[in-house]
Amino acid sequence: MEQKELERERYNDSVHTAGRRFSWLAIGLIVMVPVCYCLTSGAAPIWSKIPECLMFMVGYLAIGLVEALSYAPLLGTGGQYLTFITGNISNLKLPCALNSQTIAQVKDGSEEKEIVTTISIAVCSIVTTIVIALGLIPLAIFQSAIVDALLPISPYVIPAIFGGLTCVLMARYLKVALVPFIGCMLICLLGHLCGFGPTVNQGTMILVGMFVSVVATSFLYRKKMV
């Protein structure tokens, strides 16, 4: 048992080391995009506008922290690094990870879950890159026609993705997911009825859902209901 725990600790250390390195590399490459654009175009940021964007930036920082904390138990160590580096978490990587866990019938917190999740996210990232690369060819040729054809259905893409993801989570973690789901639905309904519709957006509901989830799950755990 001690040898097994030691090997698992070594694996986690190696994953964290590689994950941190590639995360900093990804951040550097992302930052270089606007830097290269400014250098090649001769443009420069309007520094006086930065204070006006601080609240917007803080909001995105809060969403990122909440996502990192809430997705960690579902994605595992390696899967979380891969997911946050490659992106498309809620619409691709998370559903893929949950589906692979369901198919493989792995237990929560097990080594099998860590391995299955990491492999599924890695394969998803490779397939997504290939599909995007192939999709850019017709998009470059028929850009206006494709955009015009997809424009009517674009408002339904995000609801469809989150609707499917909600069904998966509700089916797998019904007791844990039921209270946050009902709470967020009630808050959205009350917000729109009271005229606060624009403020009840995705960023707000992620924070609210996270808080409700922590409170509800803690209560269920103390009552030994989960």
Side-chain angles (χ1 to χ4, degrees), residues 20-49:
R20 292 189 186 100
R21 291 175 179 174
F22 281 101
S23 294
W24 282 113
L25 177 61
I27 292 173
L29 292 174
I30 292 172
V31 172
M32 287 304 297
V33 173
V35 171
C36 291
Y37 175 80
C38 291
L39 293 176
T40 55
S41 63
I46 304 175
W47 302 106
S48 60
K49 296 292 183 180

Side-chain angles (χ1 to χ4, degrees), residues 66 70 176-177 179-181 183-185 187 201-217:
V66 170
S70 58
V176 177
V179 175
F181 175 76
C184 290
M185 290 290 291
I187 292 173
N201 52 29
Q202 178 182 344
T204 303
M205 295 314 301
I206 288 177
L207 296 175
V208 173
M210 181 70 176
F211 175 76
V212 176
S213 299
V214 171
V215 174
T217 306

Side-chain angles (χ1 to χ4, degrees), residues 4-225:
K4 187 176 181 180
E5 291 295 330
L6 182 61
E7 291 178 355
R8 185 168 185 176
E9 189 68 24
R10 290 176 179 174
Y11 167 79
N12 287 330
D13 291 340
S14 64
V15 171
H16 282 298
T17 300
R20 292 189 186 100
R21 291 175 179 174
F22 281 101
S23 294
W24 282 113
L25 177 61
I27 292 173
L29 292 174
I30 292 172
V31 172
M32 287 304 297
V33 173
V35 171
C36 291
Y37 175 80
C38 291
L39 293 176
T40 55
S41 63
I46 304 175
W47 302 106
S48 60
K49 296 292 183 180
I50 292 181
E52 300 177 9
C53 305
L54 285 179
M55 292 305 299
F56 182 79
M57 296 164 62
V58 170
Y60 264 93
L61 177 61
I63 293 173
L65 291 175
V66 170
E67 288 183 345
L69 293 174
S70 58
Y71 291 153
L74 300 174
L75 299 175
T77 307
Q80 187 164 17
Y81 280 115
L82 282 172
T83 299
F84 278 87
I85 290 174
T86 57
N88 292 324
I89 304 174
S90 58
N91 60 335
L92 284 177
K93 306 301 167 50
L94 183 58
C96 179
L98 294 176
N99 192 41
S100 65
Q101 294 168 15
T102 302
I103 294 174
Q105 297 181 350
V106 293
K107 296 181 179 179
D108 292 337
S110 63
E111 296 180 0
E112 291 80 5
K113 178 181 178 180
E114 173 77 20
I115 295 172
V116 168
T117 304
T118 303
I119 293 175
S120 65
I121 294 174
V123 174
C124 179
S125 302
I126 296 172
V127 173
T128 302
T129 303
I130 295 174
V131 171
I132 291 175
L134 295 175
L136 288 176
I137 298 175
L139 183 61
I141 301 174
F142 309 104
Q143 181 175 2
S144 59
I146 294 177
V147 171
D148 293 339
L150 296 179
L151 189 60
I153 65 172
S154 58
Y156 305 101
V157 174
I158 297 299
I161 292 172
F162 279 96
L165 182 60
T166 300
C167 291
V168 173
L169 293 175
M170 291 288 289
R172 185 164 184 173
Y173 307 101
L174 181 60
K175 291 183 180 180
V176 177
L178 188 60
V179 175
F181 175 76
I182 295 176
C184 290
M185 290 290 291
L186 291 176
I187 292 173
C188 286
L189 180 61
L190 292 175
H192 284 280
L193 290 177
C194 297
F196 298 103
T199 61
V200 187
N201 52 29
Q202 178 182 344
T204 303
M205 295 314 301
I206 288 177
L207 296 175
V208 173
M210 181 70 176
F211 175 76
V212 176
S213 299
V214 171
V215 174
T217 306
S218 300
F219 175 79
L220 293 174
Y221 179 77
R222 290 178 181 178
K223 296 296 183 179
K224 298 182 179 180
M225 299 174 65

